[in-house]
Structures are given as structure tokens and as C-alpha cells.
């Protein structure tokens, strides 16, 4: 992510594509600030997850964040293929933060953001 003059924005923020439907927002040190998951629905929407709780008793999602061979990996713990395959303490928990939705499928359609 860069400014119009080409300088890096926000400590070198970058969006990285992961396996499947996950993207990560990372800074230049590789710190993950957010994970974005595309929901495969008729009307486009995404869920934004944070690696930290937004409030004290917030329940984690089933998704886990880990590093493998220097790369950030998000495991979809809600996928029936992965359930029971990984230990409960595998990686770091991700917490739902926001739901981003569109009112339709075109670029001109309105977007909404609902914070958890």
C-alpha cells in the first residue's frame, strides 16, 4: 500500500493473498494486523478478523493464524476437512472484527461495515 507519490504507507502495509479465501494485512515486519475472508455468497461480503480480542470475553472464530517456513498461514478451522485434524492450541486464534457487505454486485452499489 503506497501513497500517490510512491512512499510506503503505515509502516509498509501490504495485503498478501493466502491459500483459499484468506488475505492478510501485514506491516513491513511481518506483523499480521488483520485477516480478511471472502464469504462466497451471491451478494459479495467479507469478514475481517483480528489477532487480538476486541473486548474481554469475545469468543474466537475457528480460524487459526500460524507461520510456516516464514510465511503467514491461515487455517480454516470451520472447514469440515480440517475439524479434528489440528490441536486446539495450533496457531493463534482469530477474532471476528467486522462484516463488510455490498448491496449488490456492481462497483456502484453501496458498501456497509458492521463492527462486531
Amino acid at each position: 500500500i503506497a501513497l500517490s507519490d510512491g512512499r510506503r504507507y503505515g509502516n509498509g502495509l501490504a495485503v498478501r493473498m493466502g491459500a483459499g479465501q484468506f488475505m492478510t494485512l501485514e506491516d513491513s515486519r511481518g506483523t499480521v494486523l488483520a485477516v480478511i475472508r471472502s464469504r462466497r455468497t451471491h451478494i459479495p461480503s467479507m469478514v475481517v478478523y483480528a489477532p487480538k480480542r476486541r473486548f474481554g470475553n469475545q469468543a474466537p472464530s475457528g480460524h487459526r493464524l500460524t507461520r510456516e517456513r516464514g510465511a503467514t498461514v491461515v487455517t480454516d478451522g470451520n472447514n469440515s476437512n480440517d475439524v479434528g485434524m489440528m490441536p486446539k492450541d495450533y496457531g493463534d486464534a482469530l477474532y471476528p472484527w467486522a462484516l463488510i457487505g455490498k448491496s449488490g454486485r456492481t462497483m456502484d452499489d453501496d458498501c456497509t461495515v458492521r463492527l462486531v
Side-chain angles (χ1 to χ4, degrees):
I1 300 175
L3 299 172
S4 59
D5 63 5
R7 290 183 297 138
R8 292 179 2 170
Y9 175 78
N11 192 26
L13 294 178
V15 175
R16 305 211 191 286
M17 297 300 296
Q21 55 199 9
F22 292 98
M23 297 180 286
T24 58
L25 175 64
E26 301 177 20
D27 68 12
S28 61
R29 295 180 303 250
T31 303
V32 175
L33 306 171
V35 173
I36 303 138
R37 177 179 171 255
S38 175
R39 294 176 65 208
R40 301 208 170 137
T41 58
H42 177 70
I43 302 296
S45 64
M46 292 189 225
V47 179
V48 180
Y49 298 93
K52 296 180 181 177
R53 284 184 168 94
R54 298 265 306 142
F55 50 89
N57 60 350
Q58 184 178 14
S61 71
H63 310 305
R64 309 296 282 184
L65 181 67
T66 188
R67 295 194 67 76
E68 293 180 8
R69 292 182 226 110
T72 301
V73 177
V74 179
T75 304
D76 185 351
N78 295 331
N79 183 337
S80 61
N81 294 333
D82 293 336
V83 173
M85 298 295 289
M86 60 185 175
K88 291 185 179 189
D89 60 350
Y90 179 78
D92 298 320
L94 291 170
Y95 300 89
W97 187 75
L99 173 63
I100 301 170
K102 289 190 68 165
S103 61
R105 298 178 58 101
T106 68
M107 292 297 287
D108 293 332
D109 291 323
D110 293 333
C111 289
T112 58
V113 177
R114 292 186 175 95
L115 299 177
V116 172

